[in-house]
């Protein structure tokens, strides 16, 4: 077999750049069923004209096969990645809120789908036929309107629910817990005050930051101040609750030492309005570091902390978020106590899966209770050894929370990253106490759900909270034939409580095409959404199957999808030729990146916690975040560009680096500045204020300097960082020095030091599989 030329194989960068060239900067109107949107990497303005924006929903293919036999033949997963609270840029219209007062949203009597553009009005507008189940319903008198000459209601464009893909409804009391309007949510800050956190200065840092942050609590556009109430708990082996009622001169501490049966020692004065209790709260935040200054308590509890926060929200009859700042394995005598079980001998055995499962059942039960009470758990971890993220992170994952991890936290170098994450998280657009239901028209249905979610039954996706960065990936299967005229319709409804305590329904609708021709299905695939699906399904599968099996399934499925295309859709050609569908030509390179991810590669050098952490992050990611995570962005620093332009990316391969060059690499979690040994001295002087390559210290932070080079590099970094949920910590890497090993793992087109194949080798391997399938 001739060696493949690396330059002749499909380039992800080329695909990204071509899409930017043809669709970037334009208006993309969602007025056509089944049209394929611009790639996630392309900037454009999206105009909702009847189907949900791709910011909210992206699909693995925009044309579903009409029968299940055909779907089985193609092996293309039919899935939608739904990010219901995705951020919308300033130049796009925010969602309209529809309020029908006492009557509430209009729904189909039979399948309960909400009024949307897929409903067909008949009999002069007096009735409508549901697009999902075909049931004919009466139009409520208040909603009646005449039809025009083409059978469309004359008020079509005035009503968001008739003309738009996405909108919100104000919910009525029957959508609320116990038929009572909800209280606004609360945020509880829970700080681990054990010896290490006090000693490192972390506790003082958190308390100082909270004083400024509490003024930035999220609020509705039209409100003066935030309706969110706040509470404070500190803990080590016991819990300390604080009364910060506005009329107190001093905060009061109450200790709960029975951690086996946690109770909340005070109701009045625990959750307060910050504006009213500002002086007492600030007083407390000044006192906490002093209070525990002489502590020598190094053991901590963990599960009772979550239990206490949940009980407090329950007693206050509100949903909310716990912000937990924690740093060690919880070894103190208490429910949820853990031991160190990090065993390298389990790697590549059938027992490896246990490393990703929680150690004790307690966390599953706790997660379920948290979801039932609308309690979302956000976890900020500061470990310097194994903390068992597979157990600790479980509650975070199931409740729709976010996990942040700062290994070997150093106050001077790591504070900016941590504080930026904390600020962003507190200000995030979030829906609380949420439940999501996905409805489809007849012929297919939602069968599997992947994400930071909990499911008690097969249809309701429960999330104690859902923020702008969280996405749920939904897989569909046929249960009958699909009709090419009516297409495949999907409606996602999320019932939630807003930050001001209003119960709302957020509705997203999208229509896809159907076809009995395989070529139509392949033509409208979206590789980035496919990779999101494959990553989540693989990361879910490793809980029950050996990693080797999971990797084989991924390779096999890639080969089957491509073999089916070759057999049924491609023009005849020599067997030795590898033929890829246009929309999937970079699927192999992305699939190889997924196979090389630390989650799927069991190597003793990779810490178990790191793998469990990555697994958890990816389960909640949307399409744009998985795209960057699996295929990082590598940018050359070019001095000739206009100052605000970002250079075009290059392929993630060592052969694209040059000794005289400087490059930035980012994947959404980490960012590197790589410097070649012959980097021009003026660039080094401009960035680091030192005369030569030898003088650069990789330990320092990049200084803020007043010159063109420095400003240019900082602006590129800011551009990459904007829109990303996690703050990336910058590592400075010098060519041919030790830290370069870490950087090289991100050059995903090359062979990995941990044994992952290069892109060229993987293509050959897939090609061989395809040939075997075709024989």
């Amino acid at each position: 077999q001739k060696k493949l030329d690396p330059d002749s194989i499909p380039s992800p960068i080329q695909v990204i750049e071509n899409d930017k060239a043809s669709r970037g900067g334009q208006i993309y109107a969602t007025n056509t069923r089944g049209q394929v949107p611009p790639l996630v990497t392309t900037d454009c303005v999206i105009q909702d004209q009847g189907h949900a924006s791709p910011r909210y929903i992206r699909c693995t293919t925009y044309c579903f096969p009409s029968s299940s036999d055909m779907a089985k033949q193609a092996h293309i997963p039919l899935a939608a990645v739904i990010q219901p609270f995705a951020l919308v840029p300033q130049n796009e219209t925010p969602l309209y809120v529809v309020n029908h007062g006492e009557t509430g949203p209009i729904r189909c009597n039979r399948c309960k789908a909400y009024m949307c553009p897929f409903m067909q009005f008949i009999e002069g507008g007096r009735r409508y036929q549901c697009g999902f189940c075909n049931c004919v319903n009466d139009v409520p008198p208040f909603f009646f309107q005449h039809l025009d000459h083409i059978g469309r209601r004359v008020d079509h464009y005035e009503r968001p629910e008739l003309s738009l893909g996405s909108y919100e409804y104000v919910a009525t009391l029957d959508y609320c817990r116990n038929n009572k309007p909800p209280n606004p949510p609360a945020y509880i800050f829970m700080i681990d005050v054990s010896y290490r956190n006090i000693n490192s200065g972390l506790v003082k840092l958190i308390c100082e930051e909270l004083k400024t942050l509490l003024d930035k609590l999220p609020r509705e556009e039209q409100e003066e101040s935030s309706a969110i109430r706040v509470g404070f708990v500190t803990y080590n082996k016991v819990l300390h609750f604080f009364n910060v009622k506005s009329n107190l001169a001093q905060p009061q501490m109450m200790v709960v030492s029975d951690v086996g049966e946690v109770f909340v020692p005070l109701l009045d004065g625990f959750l307060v309005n910050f504006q009213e209790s500002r002086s007492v709260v600030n007083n407390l935040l000044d006192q906490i570091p002093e209070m525990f200054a002489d502590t020598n308590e190094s053991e901590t509890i963990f599960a009772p902390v979550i239990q206490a926060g949940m009980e407090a929200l329950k007693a206050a009859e509100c949903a909310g978020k716990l912000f937990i700042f924690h740093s060690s394995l919880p070894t103190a005598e208490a429910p949820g106590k853990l031991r160190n079980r990090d065993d390298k001998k389990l790697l590549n055995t059938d027992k490896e899966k246990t490393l990703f499962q929680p150690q004790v059942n307690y966390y599953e039960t706790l997660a379920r209770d948290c979801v039932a009470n609308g309690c979302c758990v956000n976890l900020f971890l500061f470990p310097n050894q194994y903390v068992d993220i597979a157990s600790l992170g479980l509650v975070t994952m199931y409740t729709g929370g976010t996990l942040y991890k700062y290994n070997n936290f150093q106050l001077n170098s790591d504070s900016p990253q941590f504080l930026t994450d904390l600020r962003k998280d507190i200000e995030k657009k979030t829906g609380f106490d949420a439940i999501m239901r996905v409805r489809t028209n007849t012929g297919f249905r939602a069968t599997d759900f992947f994400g930071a979610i909990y499911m008690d039954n097969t249809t309701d996706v429960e999330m104690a909270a859902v923020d702008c960065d969280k996405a749920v990936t939904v897989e569909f299967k046929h249960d009958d034939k699909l009709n090419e005229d009516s297409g495949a319709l999907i409606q996602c409804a999320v019932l939630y409580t807003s930050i001001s305590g209003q119960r709302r329904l957020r509705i997203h609708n999208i229509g896809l095409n159907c076809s009995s021709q395989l070529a139509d299905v392949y033509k409208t695939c979206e590789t980035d959404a496919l990779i999101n699906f494959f990553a989540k399904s693989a990361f879910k599968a490793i809980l029950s199957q050996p990693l080797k099996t999971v990797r084989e399934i991924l390779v096999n499925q890639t080969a089957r999808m491509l073999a089916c295309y070759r057999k049924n859709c491609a023009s005849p050609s020599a067997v030795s030729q590898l033929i890829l569908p246009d929309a999937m030509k970079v699927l192999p390179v992305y699939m190889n990146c997924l196979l090389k991810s630390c989650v799927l590669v069991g190597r003793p050098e990779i810490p178990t916690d790191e793998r469990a952490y990555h697994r958890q992050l990816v389960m909640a990611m949307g399409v744009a975040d998985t795209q960057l995570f699996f295929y990082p962005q590598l940018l050359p620093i070019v001095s000739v560009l206009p100052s605000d332009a970002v250079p075009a990316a290059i392929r993630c391969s060592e052969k694209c680096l040059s000794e005289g060059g400087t490059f930035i690499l980012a994947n959404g979690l980490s960012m590197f500045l790589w410097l070649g040994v012959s980097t021009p001295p003026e660039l080094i002087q401009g960035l680091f204020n030192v005369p030569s390559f030898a003088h650069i210290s990789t330990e320092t932070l990049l200084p803020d300097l007043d010159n063109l080079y420095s400003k240019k590099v900082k602006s590129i970094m800011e551009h990459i960082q904007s829109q990303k949920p996690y703050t990336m910590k910058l590592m400075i890497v010098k060519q041919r020095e030790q830290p370069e090993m870490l950087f090289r793992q991100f050059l995903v087109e090359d062979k990995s030091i941990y044994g992952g194949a290069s892109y060229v080798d993987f293509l050959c391997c897939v090609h061989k599989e395809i040939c075997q399938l075709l024989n």
Side-chain angles (χ1 to χ4, degrees), residues 304-336:
V305 181
I306 297 177
Q307 185 79 36
M310 180 192 76
E311 296 292 349
L313 292 174
K314 193 171 165 180
E317 297 188 346
C318 69
K321 256 188 206 183
L322 311 181
F323 290 80
I324 304 180
F325 305 92
H326 187 85
S327 69
S328 57
L329 193 69
T331 51
E333 262 327 306

Short mmCIF file of all heavy atoms in Angstrom, two decimals, residues 304-336:
data_model
loop_
_atom_site.label_atom_id
_atom_site.label_comp_id
_atom_site.label_asym_id
_atom_site.label_seq_id
_atom_site.Cartn_x
_atom_site.Cartn_y
_atom_site.Cartn_z
N PRO A 304 -22.51 15.35 53.58
CA PRO A 304 -23.40 16.09 54.48
C PRO A 304 -23.48 17.58 54.16
O PRO A 304 -24.47 18.24 54.48
CB PRO A 304 -22.77 15.87 55.86
CG PRO A 304 -21.99 14.61 55.74
CD PRO A 304 -21.45 14.63 54.33
N VAL A 305 -22.45 18.12 53.50
CA VAL A 305 -22.46 19.53 53.10
C VAL A 305 -23.57 19.75 52.07
O VAL A 305 -24.38 20.68 52.17
CB VAL A 305 -21.09 19.93 52.51
CG1 VAL A 305 -21.08 21.41 52.12
CG2 VAL A 305 -19.97 19.62 53.50
N ILE A 306 -23.61 18.86 51.07
CA ILE A 306 -24.65 18.94 50.03
C ILE A 306 -26.02 18.72 50.67
O ILE A 306 -26.98 19.46 50.40
CB ILE A 306 -24.40 17.89 48.93
CG1 ILE A 306 -23.07 18.17 48.22
CG2 ILE A 306 -25.56 17.87 47.93
CD1 ILE A 306 -22.70 17.15 47.18
N GLN A 307 -26.10 17.71 51.54
CA GLN A 307 -27.36 17.40 52.23
C GLN A 307 -27.87 18.65 52.96
O GLN A 307 -29.05 19.01 52.86
CB GLN A 307 -27.09 16.27 53.25
CG GLN A 307 -28.32 15.76 53.97
CD GLN A 307 -29.14 14.79 53.13
OE1 GLN A 307 -28.60 14.02 52.37
NE2 GLN A 307 -30.45 14.87 53.26
N ALA A 308 -26.98 19.33 53.66
CA ALA A 308 -27.36 20.53 54.44
C ALA A 308 -27.87 21.64 53.53
O ALA A 308 -28.88 22.27 53.80
CB ALA A 308 -26.16 21.02 55.24
N GLY A 309 -27.14 21.84 52.41
CA GLY A 309 -27.57 22.88 51.47
C GLY A 309 -28.94 22.58 50.89
O GLY A 309 -29.80 23.45 50.77
N MET A 310 -29.13 21.29 50.55
CA MET A 310 -30.41 20.88 49.98
C MET A 310 -31.54 21.07 51.00
O MET A 310 -32.61 21.58 50.67
CB MET A 310 -30.35 19.43 49.54
CG MET A 310 -31.65 18.94 48.94
SD MET A 310 -31.66 17.17 48.74
CE MET A 310 -31.93 16.66 50.42
N GLU A 311 -31.31 20.67 52.25
CA GLU A 311 -32.33 20.82 53.30
C GLU A 311 -32.68 22.30 53.50
O GLU A 311 -33.84 22.64 53.75
CB GLU A 311 -31.84 20.21 54.63
CG GLU A 311 -31.61 18.71 54.60
CD GLU A 311 -32.89 17.87 54.44
OE1 GLU A 311 -34.00 18.43 54.55
OE2 GLU A 311 -32.76 16.66 54.18
N ALA A 312 -31.68 23.17 53.40
CA ALA A 312 -31.92 24.60 53.58
C ALA A 312 -32.82 25.15 52.47
O ALA A 312 -33.74 25.93 52.72
CB ALA A 312 -30.60 25.35 53.63
N LEU A 313 -32.57 24.72 51.23
CA LEU A 313 -33.40 25.18 50.11
C LEU A 313 -34.82 24.62 50.26
O LEU A 313 -35.81 25.32 50.00
CB LEU A 313 -32.80 24.72 48.77
CG LEU A 313 -31.47 25.35 48.36
CD1 LEU A 313 -30.93 24.70 47.10
CD2 LEU A 313 -31.62 26.86 48.15
N LYS A 314 -34.89 23.38 50.69
CA LYS A 314 -36.19 22.72 50.87
C LYS A 314 -37.01 23.47 51.92
O LYS A 314 -38.19 23.77 51.72
CB LYS A 314 -35.93 21.28 51.32
CG LYS A 314 -37.11 20.34 51.27
CD LYS A 314 -36.59 18.93 51.52
CE LYS A 314 -37.71 17.96 51.86
NZ LYS A 314 -37.13 16.61 52.11
N ALA A 315 -36.35 23.82 53.04
CA ALA A 315 -37.05 24.52 54.12
C ALA A 315 -37.51 25.91 53.66
O ALA A 315 -38.55 26.40 54.08
CB ALA A 315 -36.13 24.65 55.33
N ALA A 316 -36.73 26.52 52.77
CA ALA A 316 -37.09 27.86 52.28
C ALA A 316 -38.05 27.78 51.10
O ALA A 316 -38.45 28.79 50.55
CB ALA A 316 -35.82 28.61 51.87
N GLU A 317 -38.42 26.56 50.70
CA GLU A 317 -39.31 26.32 49.56
C GLU A 317 -38.85 27.05 48.31
O GLU A 317 -39.62 27.75 47.65
CB GLU A 317 -40.75 26.74 49.92
CG GLU A 317 -41.34 25.90 51.05
CD GLU A 317 -42.83 26.17 51.27
OE1 GLU A 317 -43.34 27.17 50.74
OE2 GLU A 317 -43.45 25.36 51.96
N CYS A 318 -37.55 26.90 48.01
CA CYS A 318 -37.07 27.50 46.76
C CYS A 318 -36.01 26.60 46.13
O CYS A 318 -35.44 25.74 46.80
CB CYS A 318 -36.51 28.90 47.00
SG CYS A 318 -34.98 28.92 47.93
N ALA A 319 -35.79 26.80 44.84
CA ALA A 319 -34.71 26.09 44.16
C ALA A 319 -33.45 26.92 44.34
O ALA A 319 -33.50 28.04 44.85
CB ALA A 319 -35.05 25.95 42.67
N GLY A 320 -32.31 26.38 43.91
CA GLY A 320 -31.10 27.19 44.00
C GLY A 320 -29.85 26.43 43.66
O GLY A 320 -29.89 25.29 43.21
N LYS A 321 -28.72 27.11 43.89
CA LYS A 321 -27.41 26.56 43.56
C LYS A 321 -26.55 26.55 44.81
O LYS A 321 -26.53 27.53 45.56
CB LYS A 321 -26.71 27.47 42.55
CG LYS A 321 -26.70 26.97 41.14
CD LYS A 321 -25.81 27.87 40.28
CE LYS A 321 -26.26 27.81 38.83
NZ LYS A 321 -25.44 28.56 37.93
N LEU A 322 -25.81 25.45 45.01
CA LEU A 322 -24.78 25.41 46.04
C LEU A 322 -23.44 25.66 45.36
O LEU A 322 -23.13 25.03 44.35
CB LEU A 322 -24.75 24.05 46.74
CG LEU A 322 -26.08 23.46 47.23
CD1 LEU A 322 -25.83 22.11 47.92
CD2 LEU A 322 -26.80 24.41 48.16
N PHE A 323 -22.66 26.58 45.91
CA PHE A 323 -21.30 26.80 45.43
C PHE A 323 -20.37 26.21 46.48
O PHE A 323 -20.24 26.77 47.56
CB PHE A 323 -21.02 28.30 45.27
CG PHE A 323 -21.77 28.93 44.13
CD1 PHE A 323 -23.12 29.29 44.26
CD2 PHE A 323 -21.14 29.17 42.91
CE1 PHE A 323 -23.81 29.86 43.21
CE2 PHE A 323 -21.84 29.75 41.85
CZ PHE A 323 -23.18 30.09 42.00
N ILE A 324 -19.79 25.04 46.17
CA ILE A 324 -18.97 24.36 47.16
C ILE A 324 -17.50 24.46 46.78
O ILE A 324 -17.12 24.17 45.64
CB ILE A 324 -19.39 22.87 47.27
CG1 ILE A 324 -20.88 22.78 47.61
CG2 ILE A 324 -18.56 22.15 48.33
CD1 ILE A 324 -21.41 21.37 47.74
N PHE A 325 -16.68 24.93 47.74
CA PHE A 325 -15.24 25.11 47.50
C PHE A 325 -14.53 24.06 48.34
O PHE A 325 -14.48 24.18 49.57
CB PHE A 325 -14.82 26.53 47.89
CG PHE A 325 -15.62 27.59 47.19
CD1 PHE A 325 -16.79 28.12 47.77
CD2 PHE A 325 -15.25 28.05 45.93
CE1 PHE A 325 -17.55 29.08 47.11
CE2 PHE A 325 -16.01 29.02 45.27
CZ PHE A 325 -17.16 29.53 45.86
N HIS A 326 -13.99 23.03 47.70
CA HIS A 326 -13.56 21.84 48.42
C HIS A 326 -12.19 21.39 47.93
O HIS A 326 -11.87 21.59 46.76
CB HIS A 326 -14.60 20.73 48.19
CG HIS A 326 -14.37 19.50 48.99
ND1 HIS A 326 -14.82 19.36 50.29
CD2 HIS A 326 -13.73 18.35 48.70
CE1 HIS A 326 -14.46 18.16 50.75
NE2 HIS A 326 -13.80 17.54 49.80
N SER A 327 -11.39 20.74 48.82
CA SER A 327 -10.07 20.40 48.31
C SER A 327 -9.51 19.01 48.59
O SER A 327 -8.42 18.72 48.13
CB SER A 327 -9.05 21.44 48.78
OG SER A 327 -8.88 21.32 50.16
N SER A 328 -10.21 18.16 49.33
CA SER A 328 -9.57 16.86 49.59
C SER A 328 -10.56 15.70 49.61
O SER A 328 -11.77 15.91 49.64
CB SER A 328 -8.82 16.92 50.92
OG SER A 328 -9.73 17.30 51.94
N LEU A 329 -10.04 14.49 49.63
CA LEU A 329 -10.88 13.30 49.72
C LEU A 329 -11.60 13.33 51.07
O LEU A 329 -10.96 13.50 52.11
CB LEU A 329 -9.97 12.06 49.64
CG LEU A 329 -10.64 10.70 49.40
CD1 LEU A 329 -11.22 10.64 47.99
CD2 LEU A 329 -9.65 9.57 49.60
N PRO A 330 -12.93 13.20 51.09
CA PRO A 330 -13.66 13.26 52.38
C PRO A 330 -13.46 11.98 53.20
O PRO A 330 -14.13 10.99 52.95
CB PRO A 330 -15.11 13.46 51.97
CG PRO A 330 -15.21 12.99 50.57
CD PRO A 330 -13.85 13.08 49.96
N THR A 331 -12.53 12.03 54.14
CA THR A 331 -12.19 10.82 54.91
C THR A 331 -12.78 10.83 56.31
O THR A 331 -12.67 9.86 57.05
CB THR A 331 -10.67 10.67 55.02
OG1 THR A 331 -10.14 11.91 55.51
CG2 THR A 331 -10.04 10.36 53.67
N ALA A 332 -13.39 11.96 56.73
CA ALA A 332 -13.95 12.03 58.09
C ALA A 332 -15.16 11.09 58.20
O ALA A 332 -15.84 10.83 57.20
CB ALA A 332 -14.35 13.47 58.41
N GLU A 333 -15.42 10.61 59.42
CA GLU A 333 -16.55 9.70 59.67
C GLU A 333 -17.86 10.42 59.36
O GLU A 333 -18.26 11.31 60.11
CB GLU A 333 -16.56 9.26 61.15
CG GLU A 333 -15.95 7.90 61.44
CD GLU A 333 -16.11 6.85 60.35
OE1 GLU A 333 -17.25 6.58 59.91
OE2 GLU A 333 -15.09 6.28 59.93
N ALA A 334 -18.51 10.05 58.29
CA ALA A 334 -19.78 10.69 57.91
C ALA A 334 -20.32 9.95 56.70
O ALA A 334 -19.59 9.22 56.03
CB ALA A 334 -19.54 12.16 57.54
N PRO A 335 -21.63 10.11 56.41
CA PRO A 335 -22.16 9.52 55.17
C PRO A 335 -21.34 10.01 53.98
O PRO A 335 -20.90 11.16 53.96
CB PRO A 335 -23.59 10.07 55.11
CG PRO A 335 -23.94 10.43 56.51
CD PRO A 335 -22.66 10.84 57.18
N GLY A 336 -21.12 9.13 52.99
CA GLY A 336 -20.37 9.53 51.80
C GLY A 336 -18.87 9.55 52.01
O GLY A 336 -18.12 10.03 51.16
#
